[in-house]
Each structure stands twice: as C-alpha cells, then as structure tokens.
C-alpha cells in the first residue's frame, strides 16, 4: 500500500463535513468553488503581472481559506506559499509558485467537476491553439495514484526514465530490422502511457506496434520518429507543468 506521507488533492472527510451528504448542495458548492477559485487565480496572475504584490497576497489568502474550508488541501497549500512570498514572509520564486498553484487548482477543478458531472470550459494558455489536447490527462492519471499529486509526480519520473530506454531500444531494433523487439517495446509503452493518461503517446505507440507486427503497412521509421516526438511532448509537459523545471 502507498504510505500516507503523500498528500492527496482533497481531504474528502473535510468535504463531507461541509456538504453533509447532500448531493445537491455538494454540486452547488463545487460549482461555486470552481467559479470563484478561477476568478481568484486570474486576479493573482493579473496582479503579479502588474507587480502588485499586496493584491497577490490578498487574493492568495482568500483562495487559501476557501480551498481549505472545502478540503482542497493542495490548492490551499499552494496558495499559502504564494501568500507568504508575496507578503515577504518567505523568500521564493513567485512565478514558479504560481505555476504550481495553477497545476494543483486545474487538477482539483477537474476532479470536482468529474464528481458532479460538470463540463468545464477549456483552459486557455498563451494562445497556443496547436496543442488543444494536453500531453497527459491529469485527472485520468490521478486515478492511478488515488488523487495523490505528489505520488503521481514520482510515478511519472519513473515512467519517463523507463520510456526513454524503450524509445532507444526501439530505434536500435528498427535499424537492425528487428521488428519483434519493436513490437514488444511499443506494446509495453502503449499500455503504460495509456494508464497514465498520455493518450496521444499511447496511440502513437499502437501505430508502431501494428506495423511492426505486420497487421498494417506503413513506414516504421517514420512512425517511430512521430512516437519520439509524442514522448518529448509528454516529457516537456511534465517538466513544465508538474515539476516546474526545464
């Protein structure tokens, strides 16, 4: 079993104390939190862009409290870190802390929305319309770690390390025309990436597997090149959005 040292996105017991088992009230509370938290985060972003640290502190303090009340503990912790740094109580990188808050808030909103059957509007990020689908479906990935974001980061680290070796093995096997090895490695990568919500990577691995197995015709080297790009997309997504490092 996974140790309780890893912190989940939600304290469900705290949430149950708030809603009292009333599903209609829960849906109302979740919708209100999602709406208000999104506005508060936008206000924090805007204030940081203006260099208004007092407003950043004020909005982060409000978000810290509302999320703690609901049991959204990772959002509350992230907002608290932003608040302390904006207030000068702690030294920290505000843009980096804000990115961490963004990741935890996004994952929490998706988790709450899924629980009440709410469809969220797409999140806009700096006008990059070419990649509308994220490299990793975070809510799906969190299902594998019991909604535990810290554990997910650890699992993704192990996944990237192993997948990089699989990619190298596939490229070497393709050069040697060893299609059995290509098929074996792509099949394994297809399954592991699907489990973690890296659907586009999984689909690319499946395309390689089918050609290597002779079930479909295609340019194996070209498909492996595309698979490598999908892998880099996943690595970049994890580093930029979950690990906050380049």
């Amino acid at each position: 079993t996974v140790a309780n040292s890893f912190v989940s996105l939600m304290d469900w017991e705290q949430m149950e104390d708030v809603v009292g088992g009333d599903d209609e009230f829960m849906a109302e509370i979740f919708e209100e939190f999602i709406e208000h938290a999104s506005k508060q985060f936008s206000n924090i972003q805007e204030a940081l862009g203006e260099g208004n640290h007092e407003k950043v502190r004020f909005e982060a303090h409000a978000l810290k409290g509302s999320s703690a009340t609901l049991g959204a503990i990772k959002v509350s912790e992230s907002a608290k870190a932003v608040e302390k740094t904006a207030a000068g109580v702690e030294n920290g990188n505000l843009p980096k802390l804000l990115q961490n808050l963004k990741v935890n808030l996004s994952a929490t909103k998706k988790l709450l929305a899924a629980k009440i059957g709410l469809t969220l509007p797409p999140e806009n990020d700096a006008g990059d319309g070419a990649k509308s689908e994220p490299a990793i479906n975070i809510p799906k990935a969190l299902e594998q770690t019991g909604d535990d974001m810290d554990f997910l980061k650890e699992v993704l680290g192990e996944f990237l390390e192993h997948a990089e070796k699989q990619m190298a093995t596939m490229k070497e096997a393709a050069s040697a025309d060893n299609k059995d090895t290509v098929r074996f490695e792509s099949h394994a990568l297809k399954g592991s990436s699907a489990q973690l919500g890296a659907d586009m990577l999984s689909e690319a691995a499946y395309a390689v597997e089918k050609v290597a197995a002779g079930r479909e015709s295609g340019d194996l080297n070209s498909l492996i090149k595309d698979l490598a790009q999908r892998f880099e997309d996943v690595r970049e997504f994890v580093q930029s959005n979950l690990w906050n490092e380049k």
Side-chain angles (χ1 to χ4, degrees), residues 4-246:
N4 289 328
S5 58
F6 297 112
V7 182
S8 299
L9 284 171
M10 290 291 299
D11 180 342
W12 294 111
E13 290 185 1
Q14 168 69 14
M15 186 275 294
E16 287 292 343
D17 286 342
V18 173
V19 302
D22 187 328
D23 289 344
E24 288 187 10
F25 184 49
M26 179 178 70
E28 181 181 336
I29 290 292
F30 283 9
E31 284 193 53
E32 287 182 2
F33 173 77
I34 289 169
E35 180 181 355
H36 292 161
S38 298
K39 289 180 180 177
Q40 288 171 319
F41 181 79
S42 295
N43 289 340
I44 294 171
Q45 279 187 310
E46 182 179 343
L48 184 59
E50 296 170 349
N52 189 343
H53 285 197
E54 175 57 26
K55 186 175 180 181
V56 171
R57 183 202 62 77
F58 176 83
E59 295 288 352
H61 177 78
L63 180 56
K64 176 190 73 175
S66 61
S67 53
T69 299
L70 185 64
I73 49 181
K74 290 301 286 183
V75 173
S76 184
E77 290 173 359
S78 300
K80 182 179 180 180
V82 171
E83 177 193 5
K84 284 188 172 183
T85 299
V89 176
E90 292 184 356
N91 294 322
N93 185 326
L94 266 178
K96 190 172 182 178
L97 291 171
L98 191 60
Q99 177 64 26
N100 189 51
L101 173 58
K102 177 183 177 180
V103 169
N104 286 325
L105 178 58
S106 177
T108 299
K109 288 194 303 183
K110 290 173 182 175
L111 187 65
L112 297 180
K115 194 169 183 64
I116 61 174
L118 177 68
T119 300
L120 294 175
E123 296 180 1
N124 289 324
D125 278 341
D128 183 8
K131 293 182 181 179
S132 57
E133 183 179 349
I136 293 181
N137 182 330
I138 295 296
K140 181 178 179 181
L142 282 167
E143 292 176 3
Q144 303 299 317
T145 61
D147 302 329
D148 190 326
M149 180 61 81
D150 289 338
F151 188 31
L152 176 59
K153 292 176 183 179
E154 180 179 314
V155 169
L156 285 170
E158 295 175 356
F159 167 76
L160 289 175
E161 182 179 353
H162 187 59
E164 186 172 26
K165 293 177 181 178
Q166 289 175 309
M167 289 302 310
T169 299
M170 268 187 272
K171 291 176 182 178
E172 183 178 344
S175 298
D177 199 29
N178 185 346
K179 292 183 179 179
D180 282 343
T181 296
V182 173
R183 180 197 59 76
F184 177 83
E185 295 293 348
S186 58
H187 176 79
L189 181 57
K190 176 189 71 175
S192 59
S193 54
Q195 280 190 319
L196 289 173
D199 296 330
M200 291 185 289
L201 177 60
S202 181
E203 290 171 5
Y206 187 40
V208 171
E209 177 191 358
K210 287 188 290 185
V211 171
R215 297 200 300 272
E216 287 187 3
S217 58
D219 185 337
L220 193 57
N221 288 323
S222 177
L223 289 171
I224 290 176
K225 184 178 180 180
D226 179 65
L227 176 60
Q229 181 57 57
R230 297 298 185 184
F231 171 69
E232 289 304 321
D233 289 344
V234 169
R235 195 208 310 261
E236 181 182 350
F237 179 89
V238 171
Q239 290 176 338
S240 298
N241 295 284
L242 298 181
W243 293 344
N244 299 317
E245 61 186 31
K246 287 288 185 181

